[in-house]
Amino acid sequence: MSIVAFIGVGNMGGGMAANLAKAGHEVRAFDLSEDAVARAVSHGCTAATSARAAAHGADAIVTMLPAGSHVAAAYHDTLFAAAGLHAILIDCSTIDVATARSVGEAAAQKGLAMVDAPVSGGTAAADAGTLTFMVGGPAAAFEAARPILEAMGKAVIHAGGAGMGQAAKICNNMILGATMIATAEAFVLAEKLGLDAQTFFDISSKASGQSWSMTSYCPVPGPVPSSPANRDYAGGFAGALMLKDLKLALEAASKAGASVPMGAQAEALYQMFANNGGGAQDFSAIVKLLRG
Ligand code: NAD
């Protein structure tokens, strides 16, 4: 079993670190929040006094941080210097493609193996160890990261070189944002036309309007009992995080010269949703904004 340094044991990282400990790894947890570290310790991790102390002599270093600036600072200021040459470096945060690429390339120049490995799945999947990892980095680094990621997820997929895990994540979530809005809009129109929501679901879920947003995460209560709509949109994937991912997608599209009119419209609507207090609710609550 390996020694794993886990930096950032918040809502997502806490559950992920706990699953690594459950799998038998020695997990050294570090976070700026003492409460977060205490929670990790109660789930079988040991407390590290600094990121440097956690990383010293570790076989794997996992980061789960809020944004690109935190990730770049953590690796450039501390982790590159503290990591042994045998260690595998794994950033699971959702960050911009450009930063992921440049941090990954800087690692390679220092002779360190690194992957970007953002996740699909929220806190429930992090706790249950059923995340999907989209991984960018050299093939050898992917193979080194795989056993660590498998202890935290149900699927681990190599997407290409440095930054391609982040590219896969934001392209996927751009589809998700747009299809959720399209699905919610259709349920609102059906309602105004006098078409029963369950009846519309029974038809559209077996016709060409079908999508994950409809059949796994239906934005109105009733048709899919497990969807957040049935618990007043609490929990799930926060509107603020959807907005974050759409902003990352637009930033990447602008740099790549790609035209993403649907993604841009989705970003504008999720911005309006967040401005109207929707940021903390599940992202499918956008149906309330569309109802007017
Ligand atoms: P969070 O705010 O709960 O956790 C982040 C943690 O990082 C916090 O505990 C914070 O104290 C810590 N931190 C910040 N800077 C640090 C530093 N320099 N050193 C050590 N610790 C530091 O956020 P989260 O919901 O766990 O999300 C983490 C990442 O996962 C984000 O990039 C997010 O976009 C992504 N993500 C979240 C979800 C979700 O449903 N919450 C789903 C998929 C992806």
Side-chain angles (χ1 to χ4, degrees):
M1 285 297 132
S2 307
I3 298 175
V4 183
F6 207 114
I7 317 298
V9 283
N11 292 325
M12 293 292 291
M16 294 162 70
N19 281 317
L20 287 172
K22 208 189 288 172
H25 298 294
E26 180 190 328
V27 184
R28 300 170 181 167
F30 177 71
D31 196 294
L32 299 179
S33 155
E34 286 177 14
D35 287 350
V37 174
R39 268 195 310 278
V41 169
S42 74
H43 287 101
C45 303
T46 55
T49 50
S50 66
R52 188 178 301 274
H56 183 73
D59 303 305
I61 299 172
V62 183
T63 45
M64 192 52 163
L65 298 168
S69 56
H70 305 85
V71 172
Y75 282 93
H76 287 294
D77 297 352
T78 309
L79 298 174
F80 283 152
L85 281 177
H86 73 293
I88 174 70
L89 279 43
I90 307 173
D91 178 41
C92 294
S93 327
T94 300
I95 68 168
D96 59 290
V97 175
T99 299
R101 218 177 239 160
S102 78
V103 173
E105 285 167 3
Q109 276 164 16
K110 292 173 192 299
L112 294 164
M114 178 166 190
V115 294
D116 50 290
V119 306
S120 176
T123 51
D127 291 346
T130 55
L131 293 166
T132 292
F133 290 92
M134 305 157 221
V135 188
F142 171 72
E143 288 307 330
R146 192 206 289 269
I148 298 293
L149 297 176
E150 280 175 348
M152 302 186 283
K154 66 172 170 30
V156 179
I157 303 155
H158 193 199
M164 289 305 106
Q166 300 294 348
K169 161 95 188 179
I170 56 168
C171 289
N172 180 74
N173 279 16
M174 192 172 73
I175 296 175
L176 179 61
T179 57
M180 181 52 77
I181 292 167
T183 305
E185 213 169 75
F187 273 97
V188 171
L189 176 60
E191 196 175 285
K192 292 200 192 293
L193 294 173
L195 174 58
D196 174 65
Q198 182 67 50
T199 306
F200 172 54
F201 176 87
D202 291 344
I203 294 166
S204 195
S205 63
K206 290 179 187 60
S208 47
Q210 188 275 339
S211 72
W212 187 91
S213 292
M214 175 175 286
T215 51
S216 294
Y217 221 80
C218 190
V220 298
V224 177
S226 59
S227 79
N230 299 286
R231 41 178 204 272
D232 199 20
Y233 304 95
F237 183 48
L241 286 173
M242 173 51 82
L243 180 59
K244 171 189 171 179
D245 291 357
L246 289 167
K247 284 185 185 301
L248 290 174
L250 290 198
E251 186 186 329
S254 156
K255 284 191 176 139
S259 163
V260 289
M262 292 296 289
Q265 189 62 33
E267 190 265 349
L269 285 166
Y270 272 103
Q271 183 67 67
M272 202 186 293
F273 178 60
N275 293 346
N276 283 287
Q281 291 185 302
D282 181 76
F283 80 113
S284 62
I286 192 117
V287 68
K288 295 196 224 169
L289 179 84
L290 297 167
R291 252 191 212 111

